[in-house]
Amino acid sequence: MSRVAFDHIAIAVPRIEDALPFLVGELGGRPAGGGAAPGFRFRQWIYGGGKLELLEPAGRAGGFLHRFLERRGPGVHHLTFYVPDLAAACADAEEHGFPVVQRDVSDPEWKEAFLHPKAALSIVVQLVERSGPGSDQASGARAPASGDPEPGALGVELVGLRLAAADLGRARRLWGALLGGSCRVQGDELEVRWPGSLLRLLVRRTVEVEPEGPTAVELACLRPVVLPRGRHPVLGTVFEPVDITELAPPPLASEEENAFGLAPGAGGGDDAGGAGSEDDAAGSAADADVYFLDGDALEPDEEDPR
């Protein structure tokens, strides 16, 4: 894997089993594995070219996922990106004004780091460097190949995630300049896609009273599907239908040109530049014990601990 790959969207819930009637029974997700780690359990499902992950807390109360659910309730928790070199990605993140608040390289086959969510537009961003068997695959889901069914032909496709951001220029630095996405700005929206992936991020400029952060998971439904109005009662997440025929094709794998007309990693936007303003850089590695995937870090009104 030579480029950054957008792998999955993760949602935190009190109990994974309670979400199965919707994710499997209604949406028809294909199992993509799962497991356990200190403080949580997880399971994943594939929907066409995209993957959803569910997290539930485990162990004694007070862990990071317990705190997240207590303070924010169920909802989108993080986005995971595979990177070819974690050390280089962390250095680039700091340079672009996105502090790394937790880093673990104890497992040579799974090195990970997290960006400070306040700086990363009020969402947790996980960076992972993998090695060993299967590490050359960007995701359990793959881009279409010759002979595959048309997108959406099997029923439900995961299209991506919608987010709100006060500053589209900063969003472009995060998803484009740092994480290698191909960016297209249309009015108050920024669409970001990655070569070889059907997943996208759609970032919309916030109004004054609207907080930053994730607003909806996008699905393309080419068969009858029952989607709740507003937030799902178990998943705490809005699921919005998208007309897949209106989406632009995935960007080309070329490092020089793609369908969006911008080279992967190109910065720019409303306030293109380096690390950005003083308000751009929130927190530091010293905050790791408090801000490791914690709901505290996502509260928009909380005083910056610097």
Side-chain angles (χ1 to χ4, degrees):
M1 182 184 66
S2 60
R3 298 185 302 272
V4 175
F6 179 13
D7 186 69
H8 66 264
I9 301 166
I11 299 174
V13 294
R15 208 172 81 102
I16 290 174
E17 291 297 320
D18 295 339
L20 298 189
F22 179 70
L23 292 182
V24 179
E26 186 66 40
L27 301 185
R30 178 161 59 91
F40 70 97
R41 289 181 287 268
F42 69 94
R43 292 174 66 180
Q44 297 179 337
W45 291 269
I46 291 174
Y47 300 88
K51 188 163 56 177
L52 280 177
E53 177 178 86
L54 287 196
L55 309 171
E56 70 175 15
R60 294 184 300 176
F64 76 89
L65 207 53
H66 287 101
R67 296 194 301 270
F68 181 92
L69 291 169
E70 288 170 1
R71 291 163 181 163
R72 299 184 61 82
V76 174
H77 183 268
H78 70 262
L79 304 178
T80 295
F81 292 83
Y82 290 142
V83 299
D85 185 330
L86 184 65
C90 289
D92 287 346
E94 297 284 352
E95 182 178 347
H96 281 88
F98 300 102
V100 175
V101 295
Q102 188 72 278
R103 185 172 173 180
D104 184 353
V105 296
S106 58
D107 182 351
E109 294 188 357
W110 183 274
K111 302 176 183 179
E112 64 181 10
F114 297 88
L115 303 185
H116 193 296
K118 274 190 174 179
L121 308 175
S122 293
I123 190 167
V124 174
V125 178
Q126 180 187 33
L127 309 178
V128 175
E129 177 188 340
R130 300 189 302 169
S131 61
S135 61
D136 58 333
Q137 299 297 318
S139 170
R142 59 172 175 78
S146 176
D148 281 354
E150 290 295 318
L154 299 181
V156 176
E157 301 270 336
L158 177 62
V159 174
L161 183 69
R162 294 181 188 175
L163 304 106
D167 184 346
L168 292 189
R170 180 162 180 77
R172 191 168 172 178
R173 289 204 305 277
L174 173 59
W175 309 119
L178 176 60
L179 292 174
S182 299
C183 300
R184 179 172 62 177
V185 178
Q186 292 184 308
D188 286 341
E189 292 186 345
L190 170 70
E191 184 182 21
V192 191
R193 302 282 293 275
W194 280 262
S197 174
L198 296 179
L199 291 178
R200 76 168 182 176
L201 297 178
L202 185 64
V203 187
R204 291 175 172 169
R205 193 191 310 274
T206 63
V207 295
E208 290 184 2
V209 297
E210 184 182 9
E212 290 191 316
T215 59
V217 171
E218 295 184 320
L219 300 174
C221 307
L222 296 192
R223 62 171 171 80
V225 172
V226 177
L227 299 179
R229 293 184 178 180
R231 296 184 181 276
H232 189 278
V234 175
L235 295 159
T237 301
V238 176
F239 291 85
E240 289 282 354
V242 173
D243 185 350
I244 200 171
T245 64
E246 296 182 355
L247 297 180
L252 304 177
S254 168
E255 292 294 328
E256 298 179 355
E257 186 177 359
N258 53 60
F260 286 71
L262 292 171
D270 297 346
D271 61 339
S277 66
E278 180 181 353
D279 290 338
D280 285 345
S284 65
D287 301 322
D289 58 335
V290 175
Y291 285 93
F292 177 36
L293 308 185
D294 192 342
D296 280 347
L298 301 178
E299 293 297 336
D301 295 328
E302 183 187 347
E303 184 178 351
D304 195 321
R306 286 177 294 173

